[in-house]
Amino acid sequence: MAAFAEGIPSFAEGLPRPNITIDEVRRLAAELYGVAGEVRELGSQQDRNFLFTEPGSPPQAPSRRVLFKVSNRAVRRDEIEAQNEAMRRMLGAGHPSPAPLPSVNGHDIETADVDGSPHSIRLLTFVEGTPLIDFEHFSADTIAAMGTLVGQVVATLAGFEHPGLDRELQWDLRVGEQLVEELIGYVTEPERQAFVLGALEDVTAALAPLKHELPLQAIHGDLTDDNLVATAGALGRPELSGIIDFGDVGTGWRIAELAVACTAVFHHDPARPLAVLPLIRAFDAVVPLTDAEIDALWPLIVLRGATLVVSGLQQVAIDEGNDYAEEALEREWTIFAVPAALDSRVATAAIRRALGRTVAPGPATVPSGATLLDPELARRTRVVTLDHTSTALRDGSWLGDEGAEAEAQLLLLAARTGGVAATRFGEPRLTRSVGVSRDAPANVATGVELYSTGDLALTAPFSGLVSSAEGHVTLTDGTRTLVIAGARGLVEGRSLEGESAAVPTRVDEGDPFAEIAGWAQVSLQLGEVSAVDAAAAPVPRFVTAEEFPAWLAVIGDPSELIGLAPSGGRAGAGTGADETLRARLDTYAPLQGHYYAHPPQFERGWREMLIDTAGRHYLDMVNNVTALGHGHPVLADAVAQQWRMLNTNSRFNYASVAELSRRLLETLPDSFDTVLLVNSGTEAVDLALRLTKAFTGRDDVACVEESYHGWSYAADAVSTSTSDNPLAAELRAPWVHALDAPNAYRGTHRFDDAGQRYAADALTELERLAAAGAPVGTFIAEPRNGNAGAIEVPPGYLAAVYDAVRAGGGVVISDEVQVGYGRQGDVFWGFEQHAGPDGEPIVPDVVTVAKAMGNGHPLGAVITRSEIAEALADQGTFFSSAGGSTLSARLGVTVLDIMRDDRLQENAREIGGYLREQLLDLAERQPLIGAIHGRGLYQGIELVRDRETLEPATAETLALCDRMLAIGIVVQPTGDRGNVLKVKPPLCFTKASADTFVAALDEVLTRGL
């Protein structure tokens, strides 16, 4: 190999690849192995690999693919023999791996001159599959599967001994520090070089006491996403199918195998360094890690990244034309930079938590009663809440540039009131969120901030050494360190300035040691931190909620130092979601289902965004109930004002109930003259069915398949969707008659004349029922099948069925609970999109509505003719406690006002049209999208595995929803096949949000589920 001095390898010379041409490869392959056929080169950093595809014999037989490998001339023969033996061990353990094939002379290894030097040459079986690196997205399941496989490889190679395992290899992390030091000159960008050297210093300090405790054994040495191959599973997710490239097999630290595998994750999800935790957990389940290995793991991960960076740059410099190495440079930098940017103590704490191991205790607490502030001032300190519970943050004032301004104004106001204002430790601030984003925000505070209206002296809460540098003052006693950012040192009444400020000076508890002017951040850190260290690598002011629990191994809660109650260590992590779900399942009947297996805890919203307890904002694509959007200020003020004045039931005489009824009738044809107000869509349908039964004197009701109308006895009886009730057909009441779902995309009849054909079938069934003595009294249907996925009811169908039902003495109900109230944009009511043969819009006898009508408040209506409503008079009066209450009626009127003033129906038409265009364009390049249904802001994206057979992509749809949640989009499946994405966001939906949704959907469908 390269030159050695005193037994220590030197890597300065590098290892250029063998210099061989394709023609020479063809000649040697034919002479040595009798191989011929199509050949192409595969990438390698230091060897040369060529894939031969031999034609079948006879010609109709399958072709054979084999790998012709020319090893670097520096690799000894016994090292290659060890690689071959390792392959055989893997194959014997059931892990698909390459296997050496004999030459024409019966040898596993041949030697031939290449560019004037002898090189070892092999022919290997080719492991079919796609390198894992070619799958852009790694799910947690895929990452865990990697950990399991890596653990199994380690277990298989345990006890393997061979002379060729004793190697002087640059990828052996035992010499990684030396390698980086030797090759650091290849990192020519000053900032990057400084970053690598700083990381190397930390790695060396961390590994020094651990190296002698790390178990040694034979390892593969390069189990990365380059060398693990996979096949695409049913969801497009990679399923590991083999291991390749045994060129780095040798003796090494066992934990190095895991460290190398972990590095493969970072460039797939660089915003989440802790995404590797499932891999580490899975490995530990196969090969339990020792404490020393756990402590060494993150430093070794960083070291592996550094070796990739310097080695890659060296290879490009000495091996001109090595495109494989050139293309990997930025990826390798990411592989290093992502883990190097996270404090290894924090990462190790996160690993220990994930493995259920003991985590080192956090920093020592401060003496009871110790304070940074004058006791009287501490008592007057005002705490400003900036998380999702803040009532001072309202109407989206925390978003964008306005967030920082709102935060500053609230703190300044509080400081003027009490003299000092303070923020909370571990608080996930809304003001530090970034709106909807594919990555979770770094918004959890690692310290407490102080604001004052003037200069403020801080007193030492414990005795120690104080120093100052670059705006940071530190006070440490060796076990705990206070870091005050935005302060200047103050000792014996004088400010610490210049070079002397960095010289530690003794102060006693209660002595002034720092002074702030307006603002400072107080953080409590573990161990001794010098002023220089605090300035050079301070604890970040904000971290993600995912990382915050691990940071508690490094930082403490300084709240008590300013007279505040401690947070208890739970703030900021958003970890309450799991506990809340458990409490829900313990007390709230699971029959009342919930979205997602592991749902976020949403406690706030704004416009088309939902906000969880960690302050992360999600784009809400499913809340058609909240038509105006979340947190509408006008509606909130109207509701609050009405609560202050009166809330009672509709049997009292007040104006708002009459006003709401009038406003509803103004939206409908003149034949409608009567409104009944109810609590919900279910109640509206139930009441409507009761009215029509009383009016017609008939029990029998016709409905359409794949529909949902509510949960009460009558509403559920006419609901035919098996996604809501798998036993819908089996339990169907004899008075309910389900007609074929008029679905022109995948139903019985398709294409342009589907409406007429479905109508003809429906009329035949209505005639059959009448002849059988069960004439239909009521026909109920949505004007667009919402539950099925915004499926269009084809033209001509409703007009024909309406006419036939009425001709037979029945009446018709248009269920507008989901699809009405302006949601479709170009019409206020869904039935308005349908016309009869004369071109005139059809008009139902009864309309049911809810959801949007109350913007989430329990409010619905049955709107009809007075003669139909009066038919129920013989059975007594009707009453709904909340439906027509003072509050509900005022709220309903306000919703209509806002829809008008904010032009929400027009917005549904404009933005819905734009969104549909973008989705149709997306469907052109994403074959999983079979169809785009709907209009306005009620759409459905139907996913299919095959556009010809229309096989539903049910599992893919569910997986897609989970993946979309991970990147900040709330979307859910619907339809009896569970393969249609609901697209029914609040009507305030913007063009920017439409772009965000389409881009996210494109990313997920492109990168994989």
Side-chain angles (χ1 to χ4, degrees), residues 226 292 376 490 550 592 642 652 678 786 792 815 872 902 912 932:
D226 272 316
E376 177 59 29
L490 184 68
Q592 303 165 98
Q642 187 61 54
F652 291 93
V678 294
E792 183 87 21
D815 184 354
L872 198 61
D902 290 359
I932 307 298

Side-chain angles (χ1 to χ4, degrees), residues 913-923 925 994-995 998:
Y914 173 78
L915 175 60
R916 181 176 172 81
E917 289 176 2
Q918 301 307 302
L919 291 173
L920 288 171
D921 287 345
L922 181 62
R925 59 181 185 274
D995 289 338
V998 174

Side-chain angles (χ1 to χ4, degrees), residues 139-401:
S139 69
D141 288 343
T142 297
I143 294 170
M146 290 171 64
T148 299
L149 180 56
V150 173
Q152 291 169 343
V153 170
V154 167
T156 301
L157 293 179
F160 172 39
E161 296 181 357
H162 192 284
L165 296 175
D166 184 15
R167 307 180 68 184
E168 293 152 345
L169 191 65
Q170 73 183 87
W171 305 113
D172 185 345
L173 290 181
R174 292 178 294 173
V175 296
E177 296 156 75
Q178 176 207 338
L179 171 78
V180 176
E181 289 176 350
E182 285 194 22
L183 303 186
I184 192 64
Y186 287 100
V187 184
T188 56
E189 296 180 43
E191 289 186 3
R192 286 193 171 188
Q193 186 181 97
F195 188 13
V196 173
L197 288 174
L200 182 63
E201 184 177 345
D202 293 340
V203 165
T204 298
L207 291 179
L210 299 172
K211 290 180 178 179
H212 69 284
E213 298 183 46
L214 302 178
L216 288 167
Q217 70 161 76
I219 61 174
H220 178 281
D222 198 17
L223 290 175
T224 67
D225 49 351
D226 272 316
N227 296 327
L228 298 175
V229 297
T231 57
L235 304 180
R237 290 177 176 170
E239 295 181 355
L240 297 179
S241 59
I243 304 164
I244 61 174
D245 194 352
F246 284 68
D248 294 334
V249 165
T251 298
W253 286 321
R254 181 177 69 176
I255 190 62
E257 194 84 282
L258 176 58
V260 169
C262 285
T263 61
V265 177
F266 299 119
H267 68 97
H268 290 272
D269 197 356
R272 293 183 58 233
L274 297 184
V276 298
L277 292 179
L279 193 156
I280 297 168
R281 274 196 301 267
F283 180 94
D284 181 68
V286 180
V287 180
L289 296 170
T290 67
D291 281 343
E293 286 179 308
I294 294 173
D295 290 340
L297 177 56
W298 203 263
L300 288 174
I301 288 172
V302 174
L303 182 58
R304 167 67 176 194
T307 64
L308 288 175
V309 168
V310 297
S311 296
L313 288 168
Q314 181 201 39
Q315 196 69 31
V316 170
I318 67 173
D319 191 4
E320 185 178 353
N322 191 336
D323 294 338
Y324 175 83
E326 178 81 38
E327 292 168 1
L329 291 180
E330 280 306 305
R331 180 175 75 248
E332 288 168 346
W333 178 257
T334 301
I335 288 170
F336 159 72
V338 170
L342 181 62
D343 189 308
S344 65
R345 297 170 300 167
V346 174
T348 300
I351 292 167
R352 287 187 170 277
R353 286 170 57 91
L355 299 182
R357 311 291 176 85
T358 302
V359 179
T365 58
V366 296
S368 177
T371 178
L372 289 167
L373 302 177
D374 174 85
E376 177 59 29
L377 191 58
R379 282 192 291 273
R380 291 189 287 112
T381 298
R382 299 288 184 267
V383 179
V384 176
T385 299
L386 298 170
D387 69 1
H388 71 278
T389 66
S390 172
T391 56
L393 293 171
R394 52 189 296 180
D395 305 342
S397 63
W398 60 88
L399 291 170
D401 294 338

Side-chain angles (χ1 to χ4, degrees), residues 212 633 675 710 729 755 779 807:
H212 69 284
V675 175
F779 171 69

Side-chain angles (χ1 to χ4, degrees), residues 505-565:
T505 304
R506 180 78 185 182
V507 296
D508 293 325
E509 181 181 341
D511 290 346
F513 79 104
E515 187 177 50
I516 67 173
W519 172 89
Q521 185 198 38
V522 180
S523 61
L524 181 61
Q525 299 182 21
L526 172 63
E528 187 170 3
V529 181
S530 71
V532 174
D533 290 339
V539 170
R541 287 181 62 196
F542 299 95
V543 298
T544 66
E546 180 182 41
E547 294 174 7
F548 180 75
W551 275 100
L552 294 176
V554 176
I555 60 175
D557 184 353
S559 300
E560 291 181 282
L561 296 177
I562 55 175
L564 306 180

